[in-house]
């Protein structure tokens, strides 16, 4: 880092030890200059780049913590928040980074009520912050999964919770009530999980999702649900009939069963209720922690999350599906 980028003061701050634990993060990110240098170093690496025109060499305005682009075509000043999920937010980076640290690392997730208490913001603000962070946590790897892959679906929501799975499936095959949502999971054993909200559990829907996410020739493991029949055209399809046994040697969907219980514990315990409209964001959050569970400490997981904040926006209206100008503060 050069003086040209940060100004002398920030260069000195860079020498301060970066946090490894929650306790160190609280102390470290309490200083605005630390927040700025931490994010700048990860966003721009060696040179600050103007988000409007792509020029380098912007002048740092230390007292505003902003940069002035040297372009003669526009006279824009920009902060490190511009072009990220933090853009246009009046909430300071200190609060944003702590919320991000917590959500990246709390195993069962963290509710907007807890974030509101811990950071001293309103619950509504905390809720909006968490949803913006979840946008950053979305899996960016679009490639297909291969090898040994488990596929299973589950239902999340009210009335169907205590119903036998065959009855739930029969109900979902219809119009699909508002209170329950079908979710498909695809898990590469000893690897990544992908989950998505699906409109129904018909053969057409399930098959489409599997073809989209699993490379041909892979070993696919499912239960005996009739909608999975026909997968043996593209895959080595292994079926476990749960009416007979939960596992026969390596033929089972236990990896996903375990994942569903983790997911449901998080949703029931932490979030109390999740509207179907927002469910996919909770799915993204849980999948992020699961997929980054190995080989990373808390700081490493936080850095992965932070590396995904760029080029994404989530406005209040888009989040709530409402028109109008609701102000968040
Ligand atoms: Zn510029």
């Amino acid at each position: 880092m050069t003086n040209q980028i940060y100004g002398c003061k920030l260069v000195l701050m860079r020498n301060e030890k970066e946090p490894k634990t929650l306790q160190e993060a609280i102390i470290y990110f309490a200083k605005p200059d630390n927040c700025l240098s931490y994010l700048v170093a990860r966003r721009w690496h060696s040179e600050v780049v103007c988000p409007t025109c792509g020029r380098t060499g912007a002048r740092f305005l230390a007292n505003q913590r902003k940069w002035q682009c040297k372009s003669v075509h526009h006279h824009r000043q920009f902060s490190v928040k511009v072009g990220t999920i933090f853009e246009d937010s009046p909430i300071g980076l200190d609060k944003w980074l702590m919320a991000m640290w917590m959500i990246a690392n709390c195993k069962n997730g963290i509710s907007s009520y807890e974030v509101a208490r811990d950071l001293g913001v309103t619950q509504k603000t905390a809720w909006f912050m968490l949803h913006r962070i979840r946008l950053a946590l979305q899996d960016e790897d679009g490639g297909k999964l291969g090898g040994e892959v488990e596929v299973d679906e589950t239902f999340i929501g009210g009335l169907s919770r205590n119903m036998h799975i065959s009855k739930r499936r029969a109900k979902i095959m219809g119009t699909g009530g508002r209170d329950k949502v079908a979710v498909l999971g695809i898990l590469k054993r000893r690897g990544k999980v992908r989950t998505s909200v699906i409109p129904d559990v018909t053969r057409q829907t399930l098959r489409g999702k599997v073809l989209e996410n699993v490379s041909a020739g892979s070993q696919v493991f499912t239960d005996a649900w009739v909608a999975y029949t026909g997968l043996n055209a593209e895959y080595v399809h292994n079926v476990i009939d749960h009416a007979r046994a939960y596992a026969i040697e390596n033929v089972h969907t236990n990896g996903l069963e375990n994942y569903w219980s983790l997911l449901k514990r998080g949703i029931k315990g932490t979030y109390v209720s999740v509207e179907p409209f927002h469910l996919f964001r909770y799915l993204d959050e849980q999948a992020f922690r699961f997929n980054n569970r190995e080989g990373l400490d808390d700081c490493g997981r936080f850095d992965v999350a932070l590396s995904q904040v760029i080029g994404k926006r989530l406005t209040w209206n888009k989040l709530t599906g409402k028109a109008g100008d609701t102000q968040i503060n």
Side-chain angles (χ1 to χ4, degrees), residues 50 52-53 69 71 74:
C50 170
T52 304
C53 69
C69 180
S71 166
H74 72 89

Side-chain angles (χ1 to χ4, degrees), residues 274-289:
V274 175
E275 286 188 52
F277 180 63
H278 295 119
L279 180 64
F280 75 99
R281 299 202 182 280
Y282 293 89
L283 297 179
D284 290 341
E285 176 195 329
Q286 192 64 259
F288 172 87
R289 283 190 297 264

Side-chain angles (χ1 to χ4, degrees), residues 10 28-29 35 55 58 60 72 85 110 158 160 218 266 280 310 324:
L10 280 163
Y28 187 86
F29 292 126
C35 296
R55 279 186 181 77
F60 184 60
V72 291
I85 60 158
I110 182 161
S160 66
S218 303
F280 75 99
I310 300 154

Side-chain angles (χ1 to χ4, degrees), residues 57-77:
R59 190 161 57 89
F60 184 60
L61 311 167
N63 54 357
Q64 295 178 64
R65 297 194 176 89
K66 282 184 177 175
W67 286 265
Q68 172 72 57
C69 180
K70 67 179 181 183
S71 166
V72 291
H73 303 293
H74 72 89
H75 296 279
R76 232 160 269 163
Q77 293 181 0

Side-chain angles (χ1 to χ4, degrees), residues 133-140 280-281 284 308 312:
I133 291 170
R134 289 183 187 113
L135 176 67
L137 301 185
Q138 264 178 9
D139 193 357
E140 294 179 327
F280 75 99
R281 299 202 182 280
D284 290 341
Q308 299 182 179
K312 293 176 182 171

Side-chain angles (χ1 to χ4, degrees), residues 120-172:
V121 296
T122 66
Q123 184 265 332
K124 194 173 173 187
T125 293
W127 183 84
F128 188 32
M129 290 172 80
L130 288 178
H131 273 307
R132 283 206 203 184
I133 291 170
R134 289 183 187 113
L135 176 67
L137 301 185
Q138 264 178 9
D139 193 357
E140 294 179 327
D141 175 15
K144 292 188 179 185
L145 304 174
E148 293 187 348
V149 181
E150 296 180 19
V151 179
D152 189 28
E153 69 321 320
T154 193
F155 300 90
I156 294 179
L159 291 178
S160 66
R161 192 173 287 163
N162 300 317
M163 229 180 261
H164 187 267
I165 190 148
S166 60
K167 278 196 187 154
R168 274 182 279 168
R169 277 166 166 162
K171 264 187 102 87
I172 296 280

